[in-house]
């Protein structure tokens, strides 16, 4: 896989986790926002439910006060009729006030003149039994009274009349559900929210939006399911209009009425979508920028590497790698290493060529002087010495003498006025054929500078730091002399 593609993948793998982290952060913030919306909806629904309780409790209190009238104790139905009418006039949503005995037989209905035949009590027998048995007020399910204005829904309140702890009668009122809708509107809910009130059968009896269309219908399926499981809760579902919404509900244990509030999911989720779109857009821009930078850097890296790769193929042929100018340390190091390798290849080629020429010289040269000079020159080049010399062993009356036979790298005159080497601790091993002597810095060798008269190199001697000496031995084992090499820099001669 090309380096460019690797860098592009690296850029993508670097940027994508950041985008994922940003998206996760936005989702967490949205979860908090949704939690605040949930609490706000639930608190508002609970507050509205308490408001309904207060309104209905006020109606119950008014009926209980009416039930304490002395006219009932005196059997004065005319006076009680007038009192009931006066109370009804104070509550515009009340359509009638009915007085019945504990069995449900109607004794008085302010919708009908006193003394006329009266219709039976239009109350659920179960509600009547509950009111008389528990001796507490009961709020009925919503209903439509025959002959009433179309679209008018009512709910009833049954209040037992007690005398000496015994139920002697029941007061009932029919109340238009519009009074409940007014409580919703007084809350001034946001315009896109939907407020709904359900009776105890979970039928819609008041609504802030679309009331004419949905009044008297069951609540939405999702609300029916949620309210069946708990008296208070939160869910996401569809409104009756089919709009996705987040909703909260609260049911009163006093009246059985349920208040449900729905806020459009679009409103709550809009910030999430905007943030995710922004992250996606920023991600595309950053990813494109990262890829662009990766391509640019890949070119800066790949181009010199490709040039070095091409040069590497030519090193074996002795070509010099071009100098690579780059700010990348590793590529610069590779370039320097290749230049060093090329230098080694050149040296190796030169070594092989020198060996070949020396071999040709040994096999074809008949002159001893030229043969020894050629070997000395070749050896000097092979070991990278600044100069080299071959000293020939000559036995004198003391049994030793050394004669300069050939010299390479410097004119012969450079050694003409110097005495020949002697069998000292430094030179002796070579002339005796004992071993190769290689010293990185001869001036630091303990054998150096111990012999008179110079105690080191004679004045005017070529500077020598690196020192190499090799014995020249015949096939019979006789030491013919020694090859000596020097260089003014230390550490030039290697084990090779």
């Amino acid at each position: 896989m090309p380096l460019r593609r690797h860098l592009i993948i690296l850029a993508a793998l670097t940027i994508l986790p950041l985008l994922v982290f940003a998206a996760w952060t936005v989702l967490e913030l949205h979860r908090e926002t949704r939690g605040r919306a949930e609490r706000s909806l639930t608190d508002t629904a609970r507050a509205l439910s308490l408001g309904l309780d207060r309104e209905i409790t006020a109606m119950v209190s008014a009926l209980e006060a009416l039930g304490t009238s002395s006219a009932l104790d005196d059997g004065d139905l005319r006076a009680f009729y007038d009192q009931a009418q006066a109370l009804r006039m104070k509550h515009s949503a009340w359509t009638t006030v009915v007085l019945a005995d504990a069995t449900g037989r109607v004794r008085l209905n302010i919708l009908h003149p006193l003394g006329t035949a009266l219709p039976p009590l239009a109350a659920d027998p179960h509600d009547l039994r509950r009111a008389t048995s528990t001796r507490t007020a009961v709020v009925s399910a919503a209903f439509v009274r025959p002959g009433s204005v179309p679209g008018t829904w009512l709910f009833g309140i049954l209040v037992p009349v007690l005398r000496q702890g015994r139920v002697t009668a029941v007061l009932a009122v029919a109340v238009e559900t519009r009074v409940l809708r007014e409580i919703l509107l007084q809350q001034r809910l946001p315009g896109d929210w939907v407020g709904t009130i359900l009776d105890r059968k979970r039928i819609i009896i008041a609504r802030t939006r679309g009331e004419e269309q949905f009044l008297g219908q069951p609540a939405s399926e999702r609300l029916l399911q949620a309210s069946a499981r708990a008296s208070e809760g939160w869910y996401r579902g569809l409104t009756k209009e089919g709009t996705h919404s987040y909703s909260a509900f609260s049911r009163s244990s006093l009246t059985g009425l349920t208040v449900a509030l729905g806020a459009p999911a679009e409103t709550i989720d809009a910030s999430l979508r905007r943030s995710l779109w922004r992250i996606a857009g920023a991600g595309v821009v950053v990813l494109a920028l990262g890829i662009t930078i990766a391509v640019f850097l890949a070119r800066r890296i790949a181009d010199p590497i490709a040039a070095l790769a091409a040069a590497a193929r030519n090193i074996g042929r002795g070509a010099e790698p071009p100098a690579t100018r780059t700010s990348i340390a590793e590529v610069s190091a590779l370039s320097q290493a290749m230049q060093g390798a090329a230098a080694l290849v050149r040296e190796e080629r030169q070594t092989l060529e020198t060996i070949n020429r020396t071999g040709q010289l040994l096999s074809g040269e008949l002159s001893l002087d030229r043969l020894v000079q050629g070997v000395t020159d070749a050896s000097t080049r092979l070991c990278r010495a600044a100069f080299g010399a071959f000293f020939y062993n000559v036995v004198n009356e003391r049994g030793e003498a050394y004669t300069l036979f050939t010299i390479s790298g410097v004119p012969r005159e450079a050694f003409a006025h110097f005495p020949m080497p002697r069998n000292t601790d430094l030179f002796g091993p070579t002339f005796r054929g004992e071993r190769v002597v290689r010293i990185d810095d001869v001036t630091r060798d303990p054998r150096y500078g111990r012999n008179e008269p110079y105690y080191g190199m004679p004045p005017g001697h070529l500077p020598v730091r690196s020192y190499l000496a090799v014995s020249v031995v015949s096939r019979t084992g006789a030491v013919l002399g020694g090859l000596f090499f020097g260089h003014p820099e230390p550490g030039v001669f290697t084990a090779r």
Side-chain angles (χ1 to χ4, degrees):
M1 185 184 296
L3 175 64
R4 185 171 303 169
R5 189 172 300 174
H6 279 286
L7 288 178
I8 290 174
I9 293 175
L10 177 62
L13 293 178
T14 302
I15 293 169
L16 288 178
L18 297 177
L19 297 179
V20 171
F21 175 74
W24 175 81
T25 302
V26 169
L27 290 175
E28 287 298 311
L29 292 175
H30 173 68
R31 188 175 291 111
E32 293 182 6
T33 300
R34 192 172 61 185
R36 288 194 295 270
E38 173 186 350
R39 290 190 293 272
S40 175
L41 281 169
T42 303
D43 292 345
T44 305
R46 189 182 301 119
L48 283 170
S49 179
L50 293 174
L52 294 180
D53 287 350
R54 286 192 295 271
E55 182 68 20
I56 292 177
T57 298
M59 296 180 188
V60 170
S61 298
L63 289 175
E64 289 176 343
L66 179 63
T68 61
S69 172
S70 59
L72 285 179
D73 298 330
D74 298 337
D76 188 354
L77 291 182
R78 167 56 62 184
F80 188 79
Y81 186 93
D82 293 339
Q83 292 172 355
Q85 276 192 327
L87 180 61
R88 186 262 175 195
M89 294 300 293
K90 295 178 180 179
H91 298 81
S92 60
W94 291 13
T95 60
T96 186
V97 177
V98 177
L99 174 68
D101 61 21
T103 64
R105 185 176 63 87
V106 178
R107 298 174 59 190
L108 179 151
N109 187 333
I110 63 173
L111 286 179
H112 302 275
L114 189 64
T116 60
L118 300 175
L121 183 64
D124 188 331
H126 175 73
D127 292 341
L128 179 62
R129 286 194 299 272
R130 188 153 65 94
T132 56
S133 62
T134 62
R135 292 180 291 183
T136 58
V138 174
V139 179
S140 73
F143 60 91
V144 176
R145 188 173 60 195
S148 62
V149 178
T152 300
W153 281 73
L154 309 169
F155 67 93
I157 301 177
L158 303 178
V159 176
V161 177
L162 302 178
R163 291 293 186 272
Q164 297 179 352
R166 185 172 59 87
V167 178
T168 59
V170 175
L171 283 173
V173 293
V175 184
E176 294 180 359
T177 57
R178 63 179 175 84
V179 70
L180 304 180
R181 182 175 183 271
E182 290 171 358
I183 294 176
L184 285 179
L185 295 177
Q186 289 171 3
Q187 192 66 28
R188 298 186 181 278
L189 301 175
D192 54 355
W193 285 24
V194 177
T196 303
I197 299 177
L198 311 178
D199 68 3
R200 68 187 188 200
K201 293 183 178 180
R202 289 176 290 171
I203 299 297
I204 298 174
I205 60 175
R207 207 167 188 269
T208 57
R209 296 174 61 185
E211 186 178 79
E212 299 81 3
Q213 179 181 358
F214 301 112
L215 195 64
Q217 294 185 14
S220 65
E221 187 64 27
R222 190 72 179 85
L223 178 54
L224 289 174
Q225 295 173 358
S227 60
R229 292 192 297 267
S231 61
E232 190 173 277
W234 155 273
Y235 67 92
R236 191 184 194 279
L238 296 174
T239 64
K240 294 290 286 186
E241 293 89 348
T243 303
H244 288 277
S245 67
Y246 290 102
S247 300
F249 63 91
S250 180
R251 182 169 59 248
S252 169
S253 59
L254 178 66
T255 64
L257 300 179
T258 300
V259 176
L261 298 176
E266 171 72 22
T267 302
I268 297 176
D269 295 340
S271 60
L272 172 64
R273 281 195 299 273
R274 285 195 301 269
S275 298
L276 291 178
W277 275 114
R278 288 171 182 167
I279 290 175
V284 170
V285 173
V286 172
L287 186 60
L289 181 61
I291 291 174
T292 301
I293 294 174
V295 170
F296 172 74
L297 292 178
R299 184 178 295 113
R300 293 194 62 185
I301 298 173
D303 288 351
I305 290 178
L308 291 174
R313 290 189 289 270
N314 297 324
I315 286 179
R317 295 191 289 268
E320 176 75 17
T324 302
R325 299 182 62 183
T326 176
S327 59
I328 302 172
E330 289 79 2
V331 177
S332 297
L334 176 60
S335 175
Q336 294 173 3
M338 289 183 62
Q339 289 177 345
L344 291 176
V345 169
R346 286 196 307 273
E347 291 177 1
E348 189 67 21
R349 289 172 65 89
Q350 292 172 2
T351 299
L352 292 175
E353 290 174 359
T354 302
I355 292 173
N356 288 333
R357 287 196 300 269
T358 303
Q360 293 172 1
L361 178 66
L362 291 174
S363 63
E365 182 58 58
L366 299 179
S367 172
L368 180 60
D369 291 342
R370 286 198 296 271
L371 178 61
V372 175
Q373 184 65 52
V375 171
T376 304
D377 291 341
S379 300
T380 302
R381 287 195 298 272
L382 286 175
C383 65
R384 309 295 186 262
F387 50 86
F390 172 63
F391 287 92
Y392 183 64
N393 280 1
V394 178
V395 180
N396 57 15
E397 63 277 4
R398 290 183 300 173
E400 62 175 36
Y402 311 111
T403 301
L404 177 63
F405 196 92
T406 59
I407 189 166
S408 178
V410 293
R412 190 178 184 90
E413 292 77 14
F415 281 83
H417 58 281
F418 294 131
M420 294 298 102
R422 294 175 297 158
N423 190 14
T424 62
D425 292 341
L426 188 60
F427 294 130
T430 303
F431 290 115
R432 292 192 297 269
E434 294 177 358
R435 62 184 180 275
V436 175
V437 179
R438 179 173 61 88
I439 304 173
D440 287 338
D441 190 345
V442 70
T443 62
R444 294 180 179 273
D445 190 277
R447 295 167 292 184
Y448 176 81
R450 296 177 58 185
N451 301 101
E452 57 180 11
Y454 303 111
Y455 298 99
M457 299 179 195
H461 194 283
L462 294 174
V464 177
R465 299 288 294 279
S466 294
Y467 173 81
L468 177 64
V470 181
S471 302
V472 178
V473 183
S474 70
R475 292 181 180 179
T476 62
V479 180
L480 303 178
L483 285 167
F484 296 86
F485 305 97
H487 198 284
E489 298 293 331
V492 171
F493 306 127
T494 63
R496 184 186 180 195

